[in-house]
Amino acid sequence: MLILHYTGMQSAEAALERLCDEAAQVSAHYLIDEDGTIYRLVHEKRRAWHAGVSFWRGERDINSRSIGIELVNPGHEFGYRPFPEAQMASLEELAADLVAHYRIPPLHVLAHSDIAPDRKEDPGELFDWQRLAARGIGAWPEPGKSDEGGWTNAEIRDLLGRIGYGTAWDDGHGTAWDGTVWDGSAARSLLAFQRHWCPERLTGLPDAETVKRMRALARVYSERLV
Ligand SMILES: [Zn+2]
């Protein structure tokens, strides 16, 4: 798997220092600065600590089976801003190599927020996933006529599960999703989907466009995983 992050810190120097500090217990394989400089921090074959408590398609130990790339960006906490062209261009080259070398399937190229929707928002709704998908990196839905029409909450839960999201949706505070109300973990999984694949509808609630893209993504990609 390939997991993308933002550093969420005020400067690249601070992020580098933290990622290289053993006591902080965080690390990633690569860091890409806003000027496009790529820092290789941990060898790809070695485990890095970037995913934390996470879940994707039944898998929980994501640190052991993924490559993590950190993009310098202050993040939602310190002034979230667009990812510059130089940074995106470097990422595109690096990710294209990694995806080809490790044969990473489209639905295994993910945001940190996809695998940890209860805790994480990175790399966030300004990240251009469609651009990467155009280079063959990751998945992008192309809805067709068959993806239109009404939906039920049960279908949405099924679709999110087929794509890969955790759908147990008990947020740990005793409020398991009852299938009718959109809140807690259910809403956060849907919000994570929107952040990645429907960023112009960042509501955490189902709507026609979100559901269309969800259906298209599940239809085209969910069977392509090995
Ligand atoms: Zn992250």
Side-chain angles (χ1 to χ4, degrees):
M1 297 169 76
L2 180 63
I3 309 294
L4 303 189
H5 303 259
Y6 64 45
T7 51
M9 300 188 71
Q10 272 149 329
S11 71
E13 293 70 38
L16 252 183
E17 206 167 289
R18 183 169 151 81
L19 288 167
C20 296
D21 175 8
E22 274 181 38
Q25 298 225 317
V26 288
S27 60
H29 297 90
Y30 294 95
L31 173 77
I32 306 181
D33 204 346
E34 288 179 304
D35 66 5
T37 307
I38 299 176
Y39 298 89
R40 186 178 198 173
L41 305 177
V42 176
H43 193 280
E44 283 156 22
K45 302 264 188 237
R46 296 193 51 206
R47 191 174 194 269
W49 301 81
H50 61 95
V53 175
S54 46
F55 179 93
W56 192 255
R57 290 186 77 101
E59 193 55 62
R60 290 174 196 280
D61 185 10
I62 292 180
N63 280 327
S64 293
R65 57 196 72 233
S66 64
I67 295 171
I69 301 178
E70 292 271 358
L71 300 164
V72 171
N73 189 298
H76 291 86
E77 202 175 336
F78 297 109
Y80 189 41
R81 59 191 184 217
F83 299 88
E85 172 57 31
Q87 191 179 33
M88 287 302 293
S90 288
L91 170 65
E92 203 175 287
E93 294 311 313
L94 174 61
D97 281 352
L98 293 172
V99 162
H101 185 79
Y102 293 102
R103 298 175 195 277
I104 302 174
L107 275 185
H108 275 181
V109 179
L110 298 165
H112 199 189
S113 54
D114 290 319
I115 61 169
D118 284 346
R119 303 182 299 118
K120 296 293 178 181
E121 302 181 314
D122 61 316
E125 61 277 9
L126 294 177
F127 184 79
D128 192 351
W129 293 97
Q130 195 171 5
R131 168 181 176 158
L132 292 194
R135 272 288 301 271
I137 306 157
W140 190 259
E142 304 287 353
K145 262 264 171 268
S146 65
D147 300 312
E148 290 172 10
W151 64 85
T152 63
N153 287 342
E155 185 199 357
I156 290 177
R157 185 181 190 138
D158 177 62
L159 287 169
L160 286 170
R162 278 170 62 201
I163 292 165
Y165 291 95
T167 56
W169 288 344
D170 181 334
D171 65 9
H173 306 290
T175 52
W177 184 53
D178 69 359
T180 54
V181 182
W182 286 94
D183 63 7
S185 296
R188 286 194 288 274
S189 286
L190 189 60
L191 194 63
F193 173 87
Q194 289 173 328
R195 228 183 261 290
H196 187 149
W197 285 295
C198 203
E200 62 278 26
R201 306 279 162 110
L202 205 53
T203 60
L205 296 170
D207 61 55
E209 186 61 32
T210 299
V211 171
K212 253 184 357 191
R213 292 192 194 185
M214 215 175 265
R215 286 173 179 153
L217 199 67
R219 177 170 52 74
V220 176
Y221 293 103
S222 67
E223 307 308 324
R224 280 206 222 158
L225 290 169
V226 206

mmCIF file of all heavy atoms in Angstrom, residues 146-189:
data_model
loop_
_atom_site.group_PDB
_atom_site.id
_atom_site.type_symbol
_atom_site.label_atom_id
_atom_site.label_comp_id
_atom_site.label_asym_id
_atom_site.label_seq_id
_atom_site.Cartn_x
_atom_site.Cartn_y
_atom_site.Cartn_z
ATOM 1 N N SER A 146 -25.486 3.873 -15.119
ATOM 2 C CA SER A 146 -25.901 2.806 -14.202
ATOM 3 C C SER A 146 -25.600 3.148 -12.743
ATOM 4 O O SER A 146 -26.056 2.465 -11.825
ATOM 5 C CB SER A 146 -25.193 1.498 -14.563
ATOM 6 O OG SER A 146 -23.800 1.638 -14.349
ATOM 7 N N ASP A 147 -24.828 4.209 -12.521
ATOM 8 C CA ASP A 147 -24.482 4.565 -11.141
ATOM 9 C C ASP A 147 -25.465 5.573 -10.537
ATOM 10 O O ASP A 147 -25.334 5.964 -9.380
ATOM 11 C CB ASP A 147 -23.059 5.147 -11.095
ATOM 12 C CG ASP A 147 -22.035 4.151 -11.589
ATOM 13 O OD1 ASP A 147 -22.090 3.003 -11.131
ATOM 14 O OD2 ASP A 147 -21.208 4.517 -12.451
ATOM 15 N N GLU A 148 -26.439 5.995 -11.340
ATOM 16 C CA GLU A 148 -27.391 6.993 -10.844
ATOM 17 C C GLU A 148 -28.540 6.317 -10.101
ATOM 18 O O GLU A 148 -28.710 5.110 -10.178
ATOM 19 C CB GLU A 148 -27.924 7.824 -12.016
ATOM 20 C CG GLU A 148 -26.847 8.736 -12.582
ATOM 21 C CD GLU A 148 -27.274 9.450 -13.864
ATOM 22 O OE1 GLU A 148 -28.473 9.376 -14.197
ATOM 23 O OE2 GLU A 148 -26.408 10.058 -14.501
ATOM 24 N N GLY A 149 -29.337 7.126 -9.395
ATOM 25 C CA GLY A 149 -30.518 6.592 -8.733
ATOM 26 C C GLY A 149 -30.447 6.683 -7.223
ATOM 27 O O GLY A 149 -29.409 7.028 -6.658
ATOM 28 N N GLY A 150 -31.590 6.385 -6.594
ATOM 29 C CA GLY A 150 -31.697 6.513 -5.135
ATOM 30 C C GLY A 150 -30.823 5.513 -4.403
ATOM 31 O O GLY A 150 -30.259 4.608 -5.001
ATOM 32 N N TRP A 151 -30.700 5.717 -3.113
ATOM 33 C CA TRP A 151 -29.831 4.846 -2.317
ATOM 34 C C TRP A 151 -30.455 4.595 -0.954
ATOM 35 O O TRP A 151 -31.361 5.313 -0.546
ATOM 36 C CB TRP A 151 -28.464 5.504 -2.139
ATOM 37 C CG TRP A 151 -28.511 6.784 -1.360
ATOM 38 C CD1 TRP A 151 -28.486 6.922 0.001
ATOM 39 C CD2 TRP A 151 -28.652 8.108 -1.888
ATOM 40 N NE1 TRP A 151 -28.573 8.249 0.347
ATOM 41 C CE2 TRP A 151 -28.677 9.000 -0.788
ATOM 42 C CE3 TRP A 151 -28.743 8.628 -3.194
ATOM 43 C CZ2 TRP A 151 -28.808 10.383 -0.940
ATOM 44 C CZ3 TRP A 151 -28.873 10.003 -3.342
ATOM 45 C CH2 TRP A 151 -28.901 10.877 -2.228
ATOM 46 N N THR A 152 -29.953 3.589 -0.304
ATOM 47 C CA THR A 152 -30.312 3.353 1.100
ATOM 48 C C THR A 152 -29.027 3.420 1.923
ATOM 49 O O THR A 152 -27.933 3.253 1.380
ATOM 50 C CB THR A 152 -30.924 1.954 1.294
ATOM 51 O OG1 THR A 152 -29.926 0.981 0.942
ATOM 52 C CG2 THR A 152 -32.160 1.756 0.421
ATOM 53 N N ASN A 153 -29.195 3.634 3.201
ATOM 54 C CA ASN A 153 -28.010 3.669 4.060
ATOM 55 C C ASN A 153 -27.292 2.321 4.067
ATOM 56 O O ASN A 153 -26.072 2.262 4.146
ATOM 57 C CB ASN A 153 -28.391 4.071 5.481
ATOM 58 C CG ASN A 153 -28.736 5.548 5.566
ATOM 59 O OD1 ASN A 153 -28.381 6.320 4.670
ATOM 60 N ND2 ASN A 153 -29.435 5.941 6.607
ATOM 61 N N ALA A 154 -28.065 1.247 3.959
ATOM 62 C CA ALA A 154 -27.452 -0.085 3.935
ATOM 63 C C ALA A 154 -26.554 -0.227 2.712
ATOM 64 O O ALA A 154 -25.468 -0.808 2.775
ATOM 65 C CB ALA A 154 -28.536 -1.155 3.930
ATOM 66 N N GLU A 155 -27.002 0.311 1.574
ATOM 67 C CA GLU A 155 -26.173 0.236 0.369
ATOM 68 C C GLU A 155 -24.876 1.029 0.558
ATOM 69 O O GLU A 155 -23.799 0.584 0.154
ATOM 70 C CB GLU A 155 -26.927 0.783 -0.855
ATOM 71 C CG GLU A 155 -26.115 0.598 -2.140
ATOM 72 C CD GLU A 155 -26.553 1.503 -3.292
ATOM 73 O OE1 GLU A 155 -27.537 2.245 -3.135
ATOM 74 O OE2 GLU A 155 -25.893 1.455 -4.348
ATOM 75 N N ILE A 156 -24.994 2.197 1.159
ATOM 76 C CA ILE A 156 -23.798 3.022 1.357
ATOM 77 C C ILE A 156 -22.785 2.310 2.249
ATOM 78 O O ILE A 156 -21.585 2.289 1.975
ATOM 79 C CB ILE A 156 -24.190 4.387 1.947
ATOM 80 C CG1 ILE A 156 -24.928 5.174 0.863
ATOM 81 C CG2 ILE A 156 -22.969 5.145 2.442
ATOM 82 C CD1 ILE A 156 -25.436 6.498 1.295
ATOM 83 N N ARG A 157 -23.297 1.688 3.271
ATOM 84 C CA ARG A 157 -22.409 0.938 4.161
ATOM 85 C C ARG A 157 -21.713 -0.187 3.391
ATOM 86 O O ARG A 157 -20.508 -0.406 3.519
ATOM 87 C CB ARG A 157 -23.239 0.374 5.310
ATOM 88 C CG ARG A 157 -22.404 -0.310 6.347
ATOM 89 C CD ARG A 157 -23.289 -0.873 7.452
ATOM 90 N NE ARG A 157 -22.465 -1.324 8.551
ATOM 91 C CZ ARG A 157 -22.758 -1.119 9.824
ATOM 92 N NH1 ARG A 157 -23.833 -0.461 10.169
ATOM 93 N NH2 ARG A 157 -21.960 -1.582 10.764
ATOM 94 N N ASP A 158 -22.495 -0.878 2.554
ATOM 95 C CA ASP A 158 -21.942 -1.964 1.743
ATOM 96 C C ASP A 158 -20.876 -1.437 0.777
ATOM 97 O O ASP A 158 -19.803 -2.030 0.630
ATOM 98 C CB ASP A 158 -23.090 -2.643 0.986
ATOM 99 C CG ASP A 158 -22.571 -3.729 0.066
ATOM 100 O OD1 ASP A 158 -21.977 -4.686 0.591
ATOM 101 O OD2 ASP A 158 -22.740 -3.617 -1.174
ATOM 102 N N LEU A 159 -21.169 -0.323 0.124
ATOM 103 C CA LEU A 159 -20.218 0.252 -0.835
ATOM 104 C C LEU A 159 -18.923 0.676 -0.142
ATOM 105 O O LEU A 159 -17.832 0.378 -0.620
ATOM 106 C CB LEU A 159 -20.846 1.469 -1.538
ATOM 107 C CG LEU A 159 -21.925 1.167 -2.580
ATOM 108 C CD1 LEU A 159 -22.636 2.460 -2.981
ATOM 109 C CD2 LEU A 159 -21.324 0.492 -3.808
ATOM 110 N N LEU A 160 -19.056 1.358 0.985
ATOM 111 C CA LEU A 160 -17.853 1.797 1.706
ATOM 112 C C LEU A 160 -17.019 0.585 2.116
ATOM 113 O O LEU A 160 -15.795 0.599 2.015
ATOM 114 C CB LEU A 160 -18.233 2.635 2.934
ATOM 115 C CG LEU A 160 -18.726 4.053 2.634
ATOM 116 C CD1 LEU A 160 -19.309 4.700 3.897
ATOM 117 C CD2 LEU A 160 -17.597 4.929 2.089
ATOM 118 N N GLY A 161 -17.683 -0.481 2.529
ATOM 119 C CA GLY A 161 -16.973 -1.701 2.913
ATOM 120 C C GLY A 161 -16.278 -2.344 1.730
ATOM 121 O O GLY A 161 -15.143 -2.810 1.824
ATOM 122 N N ARG A 162 -16.956 -2.359 0.572
ATOM 123 C CA ARG A 162 -16.337 -2.950 -0.626
ATOM 124 C C ARG A 162 -15.133 -2.137 -1.074
ATOM 125 O O ARG A 162 -14.146 -2.680 -1.582
ATOM 126 C CB ARG A 162 -17.355 -3.032 -1.764
ATOM 127 C CG ARG A 162 -18.252 -4.263 -1.654
ATOM 128 C CD ARG A 162 -19.389 -4.196 -2.640
ATOM 129 N NE ARG A 162 -18.943 -4.162 -4.029
ATOM 130 C CZ ARG A 162 -19.701 -3.714 -5.029
ATOM 131 N NH1 ARG A 162 -20.912 -3.259 -4.787
ATOM 132 N NH2 ARG A 162 -19.232 -3.724 -6.256
ATOM 133 N N ILE A 163 -15.216 -0.833 -0.934
ATOM 134 C CA ILE A 163 -14.073 0.006 -1.305
ATOM 135 C C ILE A 163 -12.915 -0.261 -0.343
ATOM 136 O O ILE A 163 -11.765 -0.341 -0.772
ATOM 137 C CB ILE A 163 -14.491 1.497 -1.304
ATOM 138 C CG1 ILE A 163 -15.472 1.752 -2.455
ATOM 139 C CG2 ILE A 163 -13.268 2.400 -1.434
ATOM 140 C CD1 ILE A 163 -16.225 3.072 -2.348
ATOM 141 N N GLY A 164 -13.214 -0.436 0.939
ATOM 142 C CA GLY A 164 -12.144 -0.769 1.882
ATOM 143 C C GLY A 164 -12.299 -0.200 3.276
ATOM 144 O O GLY A 164 -11.597 -0.611 4.200
ATOM 145 N N TYR A 165 -13.211 0.759 3.442
ATOM 146 C CA TYR A 165 -13.347 1.425 4.739
ATOM 147 C C TYR A 165 -13.853 0.469 5.814
ATOM 148 O O TYR A 165 -14.602 -0.457 5.529
ATOM 149 C CB TYR A 165 -14.338 2.602 4.632
ATOM 150 C CG TYR A 165 -13.811 3.747 3.802
ATOM 151 C CD1 TYR A 165 -14.127 3.840 2.445
ATOM 152 C CD2 TYR A 165 -12.995 4.711 4.361
ATOM 153 C CE1 TYR A 165 -13.630 4.876 1.672
ATOM 154 C CE2 TYR A 165 -12.499 5.751 3.600
ATOM 155 C CZ TYR A 165 -12.821 5.829 2.254
ATOM 156 O OH TYR A 165 -12.321 6.849 1.488
ATOM 157 N N GLY A 166 -13.452 0.746 7.043
ATOM 158 C CA GLY A 166 -14.012 0.027 8.176
ATOM 159 C C GLY A 166 -15.464 0.443 8.344
ATOM 160 O O GLY A 166 -15.774 1.627 8.324
ATOM 161 N N THR A 167 -16.358 -0.535 8.488
ATOM 162 C CA THR A 167 -17.774 -0.175 8.604
ATOM 163 C C THR A 167 -18.411 -0.767 9.857
ATOM 164 O O THR A 167 -19.618 -0.908 9.931
ATOM 165 C CB THR A 167 -18.572 -0.632 7.366
ATOM 166 O OG1 THR A 167 -18.382 -2.041 7.211
ATOM 167 C CG2 THR A 167 -18.130 0.087 6.123
ATOM 168 N N ALA A 168 -17.595 -1.175 10.817
ATOM 169 C CA ALA A 168 -18.183 -1.628 12.083
ATOM 170 C C ALA A 168 -18.859 -0.422 12.738
ATOM 171 O O ALA A 168 -19.927 -0.510 13.315
ATOM 172 C CB ALA A 168 -17.113 -2.198 12.984
ATOM 173 N N TRP A 169 -18.202 0.726 12.592
ATOM 174 C CA TRP A 169 -18.797 2.000 12.960
ATOM 175 C C TRP A 169 -19.281 2.092 14.382
ATOM 176 O O TRP A 169 -20.277 2.728 14.682
ATOM 177 C CB TRP A 169 -19.923 2.370 11.978
ATOM 178 C CG TRP A 169 -19.368 2.769 10.664
ATOM 179 C CD1 TRP A 169 -18.076 3.105 10.403
ATOM 180 C CD2 TRP A 169 -20.050 2.860 9.421
ATOM 181 N NE1 TRP A 169 -17.925 3.415 9.082
ATOM 182 C CE2 TRP A 169 -19.129 3.267 8.450
ATOM 183 C CE3 TRP A 169 -21.381 2.652 9.050
ATOM 184 C CZ2 TRP A 169 -19.481 3.457 7.127
ATOM 185 C CZ3 TRP A 169 -21.728 2.839 7.739
ATOM 186 C CH2 TRP A 169 -20.787 3.235 6.777
ATOM 187 N N ASP A 170 -18.575 1.435 15.254
ATOM 188 C CA ASP A 170 -18.784 1.715 16.658
ATOM 189 C C ASP A 170 -17.634 2.636 17.025
ATOM 190 O O ASP A 170 -16.474 2.271 16.927
ATOM 191 C CB ASP A 170 -18.719 0.419 17.466
ATOM 192 C CG ASP A 170 -18.969 0.670 18.933
ATOM 193 O OD1 ASP A 170 -18.701 1.792 19.395
ATOM 194 O OD2 ASP A 170 -19.421 -0.252 19.603
ATOM 195 N N ASP A 171 -17.921 3.838 17.395
ATOM 196 C CA ASP A 171 -16.836 4.808 17.575
ATOM 197 C C ASP A 171 -16.135 4.668 18.921
ATOM 198 O O ASP A 171 -15.333 5.511 19.299
ATOM 199 C CB ASP A 171 -17.317 6.237 17.341
ATOM 200 C CG ASP A 171 -18.338 6.673 18.368
ATOM 201 O OD1 ASP A 171 -18.542 5.942 19.352
ATOM 202 O OD2 ASP A 171 -18.928 7.743 18.182
ATOM 203 N N GLY A 172 -16.450 3.593 19.636
ATOM 204 C CA GLY A 172 -15.744 3.359 20.882
ATOM 205 C C GLY A 172 -16.383 4.070 22.063
ATOM 206 O O GLY A 172 -15.966 3.938 23.199
ATOM 207 N N HIS A 173 -17.427 4.821 21.806
ATOM 208 C CA HIS A 173 -18.108 5.516 22.898
ATOM 209 C C HIS A 173 -19.522 4.969 23.062
ATOM 210 O O HIS A 173 -20.404 5.649 23.552
ATOM 211 C CB HIS A 173 -18.146 7.018 22.637
ATOM 212 C CG HIS A 173 -16.801 7.593 22.383
ATOM 213 N ND1 HIS A 173 -15.855 7.715 23.367
ATOM 214 C CD2 HIS A 173 -16.220 8.032 21.245
ATOM 215 C CE1 HIS A 173 -14.744 8.229 22.845
ATOM 216 N NE2 HIS A 173 -14.935 8.418 21.558
ATOM 217 N N GLY A 174 -19.719 3.760 22.615
ATOM 218 C CA GLY A 174 -21.014 3.116 22.819
ATOM 219 C C GLY A 174 -22.110 3.603 21.900
ATOM 220 O O GLY A 174 -23.288 3.370 22.145
ATOM 221 N N THR A 175 -21.727 4.276 20.808
ATOM 222 C CA THR A 175 -22.769 4.759 19.904
ATOM 223 C C THR A 175 -22.594 4.130 18.531
ATOM 224 O O THR A 175 -22.207 4.779 17.576
ATOM 225 C CB THR A 175 -22.726 6.292 19.750
ATOM 226 O OG1 THR A 175 -21.379 6.654 19.391
ATOM 227 C CG2 THR A 175 -23.085 6.990 21.040
ATOM 228 N N ALA A 176 -22.825 2.844 18.466
ATOM 229 C CA ALA A 176 -22.748 2.147 17.182
ATOM 230 C C ALA A 176 -23.800 2.715 16.236
ATOM 231 O O ALA A 176 -24.888 3.104 16.658
ATOM 232 C CB ALA A 176 -22.966 0.663 17.387
ATOM 233 N N TRP A 177 -23.449 2.749 14.965
ATOM 234 C CA TRP A 177 -24.372 3.280 13.970
ATOM 235 C C TRP A 177 -25.594 2.367 13.857
ATOM 236 O O TRP A 177 -25.466 1.161 13.690
ATOM 237 C CB TRP A 177 -23.650 3.347 12.629
ATOM 238 C CG TRP A 177 -24.475 3.967 11.555
ATOM 239 C CD1 TRP A 177 -25.104 5.169 11.601
ATOM 240 C CD2 TRP A 177 -24.736 3.417 10.273
ATOM 241 N NE1 TRP A 177 -25.745 5.410 10.419
ATOM 242 C CE2 TRP A 177 -25.530 4.357 9.584
ATOM 243 C CE3 TRP A 177 -24.374 2.238 9.636
ATOM 244 C CZ2 TRP A 177 -25.978 4.130 8.284
ATOM 245 C CZ3 TRP A 177 -24.816 2.029 8.342
ATOM 246 C CH2 TRP A 177 -25.614 2.962 7.686
ATOM 247 N N ASP A 178 -26.788 2.913 13.937
ATOM 248 C CA ASP A 178 -27.990 2.074 13.889
ATOM 249 C C ASP A 178 -28.571 1.946 12.488
ATOM 250 O O ASP A 178 -29.640 1.392 12.294
ATOM 251 C CB ASP A 178 -29.052 2.612 14.856
ATOM 252 C CG ASP A 178 -29.623 3.950 14.394
ATOM 253 O OD1 ASP A 178 -29.178 4.473 13.339
ATOM 254 O OD2 ASP A 178 -30.509 4.475 15.060
ATOM 255 N N GLY A 179 -27.885 2.454 11.503
ATOM 256 C CA GLY A 179 -28.352 2.291 10.129
ATOM 257 C C GLY A 179 -29.272 3.402 9.663
ATOM 258 O O GLY A 179 -29.701 3.427 8.523
ATOM 259 N N THR A 180 -29.608 4.330 10.526
ATOM 260 C CA THR A 180 -30.514 5.397 10.104
ATOM 261 C C THR A 180 -29.899 6.780 10.261
ATOM 262 O O THR A 180 -30.148 7.673 9.467
ATOM 263 C CB THR A 180 -31.823 5.374 10.942
ATOM 264 O OG1 THR A 180 -31.458 5.423 12.320
ATOM 265 C CG2 THR A 180 -32.624 4.121 10.664
ATOM 266 N N VAL A 181 -29.088 6.953 11.268
ATOM 267 C CA VAL A 181 -28.567 8.290 11.569
ATOM 268 C C VAL A 181 -27.120 8.405 11.102
ATOM 269 O O VAL A 181 -26.326 7.500 11.310
ATOM 270 C CB VAL A 181 -28.637 8.562 13.088
ATOM 271 C CG1 VAL A 181 -28.134 9.961 13.394
ATOM 272 C CG2 VAL A 181 -30.055 8.376 13.590
ATOM 273 N N TRP A 182 -26.790 9.525 10.478
ATOM 274 C CA TRP A 182 -25.414 9.746 10.029
ATOM 275 C C TRP A 182 -24.673 10.576 11.045
ATOM 276 O O TRP A 182 -24.737 11.790 11.040
ATOM 277 C CB TRP A 182 -25.398 10.406 8.660
ATOM 278 C CG TRP A 182 -25.776 9.445 7.625
ATOM 279 C CD1 TRP A 182 -27.018 9.227 7.117
ATOM 280 C CD2 TRP A 182 -24.919 8.479 6.993
ATOM 281 N NE1 TRP A 182 -26.985 8.200 6.216
ATOM 282 C CE2 TRP A 182 -25.720 7.724 6.115
ATOM 283 C CE3 TRP A 182 -23.563 8.184 7.102
ATOM 284 C CZ2 TRP A 182 -25.194 6.687 5.348
ATOM 285 C CZ3 TRP A 182 -23.035 7.160 6.335
ATOM 286 C CH2 TRP A 182 -23.854 6.420 5.466
ATOM 287 N N ASP A 183 -23.995 9.890 11.928
ATOM 288 C CA ASP A 183 -23.116 10.628 12.832
ATOM 289 C C ASP A 183 -21.981 9.705 13.252
ATOM 290 O O ASP A 183 -21.859 8.596 12.748
ATOM 291 C CB ASP A 183 -23.892 11.179 14.044
ATOM 292 C CG ASP A 183 -24.479 10.066 14.890
ATOM 293 O OD1 ASP A 183 -24.184 8.888 14.624
ATOM 294 O OD2 ASP A 183 -25.237 10.378 15.810
ATOM 295 N N GLY A 184 -21.153 10.176 14.143
ATOM 296 C CA GLY A 184 -20.062 9.354 14.653
ATOM 297 C C GLY A 184 -19.208 8.770 13.543
ATOM 298 O O GLY A 184 -18.909 9.423 12.542
ATOM 299 N N SER A 185 -18.833 7.522 13.713
ATOM 300 C CA SER A 185 -17.890 6.893 12.791
ATOM 301 C C SER A 185 -18.443 6.737 11.381
ATOM 302 O O SER A 185 -17.694 6.776 10.406
ATOM 303 C CB SER A 185 -17.486 5.524 13.318
ATOM 304 O OG SER A 185 -16.806 5.681 14.533
ATOM 305 N N ALA A 186 -19.756 6.530 11.254
ATOM 306 C CA ALA A 186 -20.345 6.376 9.916
ATOM 307 C C ALA A 186 -20.111 7.640 9.103
ATOM 308 O O ALA A 186 -19.674 7.603 7.955
ATOM 309 C CB ALA A 186 -21.838 6.095 10.030
ATOM 310 N N ALA A 187 -20.396 8.779 9.716
ATOM 311 C CA ALA A 187 -20.226 10.047 9.016
ATOM 312 C C ALA A 187 -18.749 10.300 8.713
ATOM 313 O O ALA A 187 -18.402 10.831 7.662
ATOM 314 C CB ALA A 187 -20.803 11.187 9.853
ATOM 315 N N ARG A 188 -17.870 9.889 9.617
ATOM 316 C CA ARG A 188 -16.446 10.144 9.382
ATOM 317 C C ARG A 188 -15.885 9.289 8.252
ATOM 318 O O ARG A 188 -15.013 9.722 7.505
ATOM 319 C CB ARG A 188 -15.658 9.978 10.685
ATOM 320 C CG ARG A 188 -15.906 11.154 11.639
ATOM 321 C CD ARG A 188 -14.895 11.191 12.755
ATOM 322 N NE ARG A 188 -15.114 10.114 13.708
ATOM 323 C CZ ARG A 188 -15.948 10.172 14.741
ATOM 324 N NH1 ARG A 188 -16.648 11.263 14.953
ATOM 325 N NH2 ARG A 188 -16.077 9.152 15.562
ATOM 326 N N SER A 189 -16.400 8.057 8.108
ATOM 327 C CA SER A 189 -15.966 7.233 6.969
ATOM 328 C C SER A 189 -16.453 7.847 5.658
ATOM 329 O O SER A 189 -15.721 7.884 4.666
ATOM 330 C CB SER A 189 -16.531 5.805 7.083
ATOM 331 O OG SER A 189 -15.841 5.101 8.077
#
